[in-house]
Amino acid sequence: SAVISQKPSRDICQRGTSLTIQCQVDSQVTMMFWYRQQPGQSLTLIATANQGSEATYESGFVIDKFPISRPNLTFSTLTVSNMSPEDSSIYLCSVIRDLPYNEQFFGPGTRLTVL
Amino acid sequence: AQKVTQAQTEISVVEKEDVTLDCVYETRDTTYYLFWYKQPPSGELVFLIRRNSFDEQNEISGRYSWNFQKSTSSFNFTITASQVVDSAVYFCALSEQTSNTGKLIFGQGTTLQVKP
């Protein structure tokens, strides 16, 4: 498995502001991802965080709204920009240590509420 | 297109009852992985099991067991002698190997409530 931490664990933000969420893993991993879980819903992949290059975004998610960085193999950030109440969700990072086994482990999540 | 369906939105049982959570998937890939995760009220997603498409053996881990049937594209999860601590949302997920992106497609989740 992998030990994954996220900061902050929760936040309440005002409309129009931005929040950066950090994801730290205890050891180097092959792949890192960011998911969103809207209230009462399932998880949806936002993007794959690529080390040293631009993230790969899923349909419906754009870099201007969700800029992502991954400067090394153990750390990534997700920014939720120009927030609106519709962005209120749990944001989770996940990692795959080794391909092709694809065991994917999740961080504790960041609960975001936008007023 | 890939898809995961968990038809049971909510299940309520009394402690010590057995309960089965259904999962049906769709994929065009011949190589893929199936997963189950547990999400307790704390919100953290807990990995339970990974199964690859070439391994149809059923698996048992304590009170948990999984039944994988490719013929019906199902990967069902059974909890035997349920306990209150089993109360959580359970997600089934699919990862296609051909694309090798690691992307997980999640079902809508089944909320399990175990009453004392």
Side-chain angles (χ1 to χ4, degrees):
Chain A
S1 64
V3 178
I4 307 168
S5 61
Q6 283 186 234
K7 290 181 181 179
S9 58
R10 60 177 63 230
D11 208 341
I12 301 173
C13 300
Q14 295 297 319
R15 181 195 298 261
T17 62
S18 298
L19 176 72
T20 296
I21 303 168
Q22 298 179 3
C23 178
Q24 179 73 55
V25 193
D26 65 334
S27 58
Q28 293 184 356
V29 294
T30 303
M31 304 186 79
M32 295 183 77
F33 306 89
W34 287 98
Y35 287 82
R36 181 177 73 181
Q37 186 178 22
Q38 295 177 300
Q41 302 296 313
S42 186
L43 287 82
T44 301
L45 180 65
I46 297 172
T48 302
N50 299 311
Q51 193 260 329
S53 64
E54 191 171 291
T56 304
Y57 290 85
E58 296 298 306
S59 176
F61 297 96
V62 295
I63 187 171
D64 289 346
K65 176 66 177 178
F66 297 102
I68 289 170
S69 78
R70 187 181 175 193
N72 56 53
L73 294 177
T74 63
F75 184 79
S76 177
T77 66
L78 166 73
T79 299
V80 186
S81 303
N82 188 24
M83 289 184 285
S84 67
E86 292 70 35
D87 294 319
S88 297
S89 298
I90 300 175
Y91 292 87
L92 301 103
C93 73
S94 69
V95 305
I96 292 176
R97 186 181 298 284
D98 299 305
L99 289 169
Y101 301 104
N102 278 12
E103 287 188 357
Q104 190 163 147
F105 300 97
F106 285 79
T110 296
R111 291 179 182 267
L112 171 61
T113 301
V114 183
L115 302 177
Chain B
Q2 64 270 42
K3 184 179 179 182
V4 177
T5 301
Q6 295 178 254
Q8 304 150 308
T9 305
E10 294 184 19
I11 300 176
S12 182
V13 300
V14 177
E15 208 170 17
K16 297 184 183 178
E17 283 186 19
D18 298 348
V19 58
T20 295
L21 310 181
D22 297 333
C23 174
V24 175
Y25 62 92
E26 296 176 28
T27 178
R28 292 178 182 169
D29 270 21
T30 55
T31 305
Y32 51 89
Y33 291 95
L34 297 164
F35 302 80
W36 276 95
Y37 288 89
K38 173 182 180 180
Q39 188 175 43
S42 61
E44 188 165 354
L45 221 60
V46 179
F47 170 86
L48 296 178
I49 190 172
R50 174 186 62 90
R51 173 67 67 207
N52 76 52
S53 54
F54 295 110
D55 183 1
E56 288 194 69
Q57 282 192 347
N58 293 332
E59 179 150 345
I60 298 174
S61 176
R63 295 184 299 107
Y64 295 170
S65 63
W66 292 269
N67 181 260
F68 176 32
Q69 292 195 347
K70 287 181 75 172
S71 61
T72 56
S73 297
S74 65
F75 186 43
N76 297 336
F77 173 32
T78 298
I79 301 175
T80 303
S82 60
Q83 300 176 1
V84 172
V85 294
D86 295 327
S87 297
V89 182
Y90 290 86
F91 291 99
C92 180
L94 165 73
S95 177
E96 294 179 330
Q97 185 58 27
T98 302
S99 60
N100 207 26
T101 63
K103 174 181 176 179
L104 286 177
I105 306 298
F106 283 87
Q108 286 305 107
T110 297
T111 300
L112 174 64
Q113 183 181 36
V114 182
K115 299 178 181 178

